[in-house]
Amino acid sequence: GSGNALDTLIEDMQRLRHIIAKRYEDLPYFMIGVDFGSLVLLKYAMTYGKPEHIVDVLVNKANTFFNMELPDSARNATKTAMLYYHKVGRGQQSVIQKHLAHYDLLRDSLASAEHHAYQAFMLAQDSSALGNALTLLSQIYTRQDQPEKVRLVMSMMSKKNNSTMAYNRLLAETHLHETHGDYRKAYESMLRLKALDDSLYSEKTHTDIIKVQNDYDNAVLQLDRARQRYRYSVVIIALLLLLFVLSYWYYRRNHLL
């Protein structure tokens, strides 16, 4: 037929969402896309989504491209996210700045990378974003051969008493020692980093197990309550039927007399 097939598909997705949302009002609605489907979802998000949802899609897309060692594609996704920069919160702005800094660092644009990493640091809303920004700054200062600034950044990390900051500090420390040719200290830092990584993974696994166990216990509890309500309902219905039968019998008996 005539018209833009992709636009028609996006409109159909929106109609379907309204139909399902109306039918299942109390349930969350998820969309998952793979390969071409991810591009369709991005187009859908940019047409009907809120700015924060669009930026979520774009920064995750940029993360994927960075992991695939496709920095130019990651840069393009981040540039698109910049179109919504002033419409989202500081946390998402921090992530966008982090991606810009990462790209500039890969391209050896150290002055620009430092600017974006500093912005990411100032906008960070949690320890993970803060640690990522500080790690980028330490890498930039290491590349610029400014060890005092690297140590300053690492001291800022050590003031935050949590596992995320400890991990990022060890990462920066390893990189600093390796850059200056002190491979023994770099190796020692790497061993501590590995131990912390294993500990964090073990802790996360333990937390996940507890969560699953709690979910299971809650599901069992809900099922027991549902069964109990069912039994009560059956008993009440049986009593009502018995009461009805007795009333009918009493009525018939008096009527025959």
Side-chain angles (χ1 to χ4, degrees):
S2 61
N4 187 305
L6 181 58
D7 289 342
T8 301
L9 175 59
I10 298 300
E11 292 170 4
D12 287 343
M13 290 170 62
Q14 178 70 345
R15 292 192 191 97
L16 180 62
R17 191 186 75 82
H18 282 309
I19 292 171
I20 295 178
K22 186 175 181 180
R23 184 174 299 178
Y24 305 100
E25 296 180 356
D26 298 329
L27 296 179
Y29 189 88
F30 295 96
M31 290 184 175
I32 300 174
V34 180
D35 292 334
F36 178 71
S38 64
L39 299 177
V40 173
L41 279 184
L42 178 58
K43 172 71 172 175
Y44 177 85
M46 295 179 70
T47 304
Y48 294 106
K50 297 179 180 179
E52 57 268 25
H53 298 157
I54 299 170
V55 170
D56 273 341
V57 173
L58 290 167
V59 297
N60 284 324
K61 186 178 179 181
N63 274 330
T64 301
F65 283 137
F66 276 128
N67 292 333
M68 294 171 63
E69 297 183 358
L70 297 170
D72 290 331
S73 297
R75 167 71 173 176
N76 290 335
T78 306
K79 284 177 66 177
T80 306
M82 280 295 294
L83 298 175
Y84 305 91
Y85 187 80
H86 296 292
K87 298 180 181 179
V88 297
R90 292 171 62 87
Q92 287 183 310
Q93 290 177 347
S94 176
V95 176
I96 292 172
Q97 292 289 347
K98 180 199 76 170
H99 283 333
L100 294 173
H102 189 187
Y103 178 83
D104 288 337
L105 182 60
L106 292 174
R107 290 291 178 267
D108 280 327
S109 301
L110 299 183
S112 180
E114 180 182 1
H115 168 75
H116 290 304
Y118 180 75
Q119 290 297 318
F121 168 74
M122 295 300 293
L123 293 165
Q125 298 295 295
D126 55 61
S127 60
S128 177
L130 197 62
N132 288 333
L134 288 173
T135 300
L136 277 170
L137 282 171
S138 71
Q139 291 174 355
I140 293 164
Y141 293 143
T142 300
R143 194 83 65 84
Q144 292 174 336
D145 195 22
Q146 299 189 60
E148 292 303 318
K149 286 189 176 181
V150 176
R151 292 187 180 90
L152 175 62
V153 169
M154 289 195 298
S155 70
M156 294 172 66
M157 291 181 184
S158 58
K159 290 178 181 178
K160 302 290 184 179
N161 186 24
N162 60 60
S163 300
T164 302
M165 280 299 178
Y167 183 89
N168 282 283
R169 186 182 187 283
L170 283 171
L171 196 63
E173 187 178 286
T174 301
H175 188 66
L176 176 66
H177 292 321
E178 187 177 6
T179 302
H180 286 84
D182 194 340
Y183 296 109
R184 183 181 64 81
K185 288 186 178 179
Y187 177 70
E188 291 172 354
S189 297
M190 183 62 74
L191 289 178
R192 294 199 301 273
L193 184 65
K194 176 71 167 57
L196 180 58
D197 191 38
D198 292 342
S199 173
L200 289 173
Y201 178 77
S202 175
E203 181 181 338
K204 182 180 184 302
T205 302
H206 181 65
T207 302
D208 289 343
I209 292 172
I210 293 175
K211 181 180 182 300
V212 171
Q213 182 64 49
N214 287 336
D215 290 342
Y216 172 77
D217 292 341
N218 288 331
V220 171
L221 181 62
Q222 293 296 328
L223 183 60
D224 288 342
R225 288 176 178 174
R227 287 173 175 170
Q228 192 174 31
R229 287 195 296 267
Y230 173 76
R231 295 191 192 100
Y232 287 155
S233 299
V234 170
V235 170
I236 291 172
I237 292 172
L239 289 174
L240 289 172
L241 285 174
L242 180 61
L243 182 62
F244 173 77
V245 170
L246 289 174
S247 299
Y248 182 74
W249 173 82
Y250 183 76
Y251 169 78
R252 292 285 295 175
R253 179 174 177 275
N254 289 339
H255 184 71
L256 290 174
L257 293 176

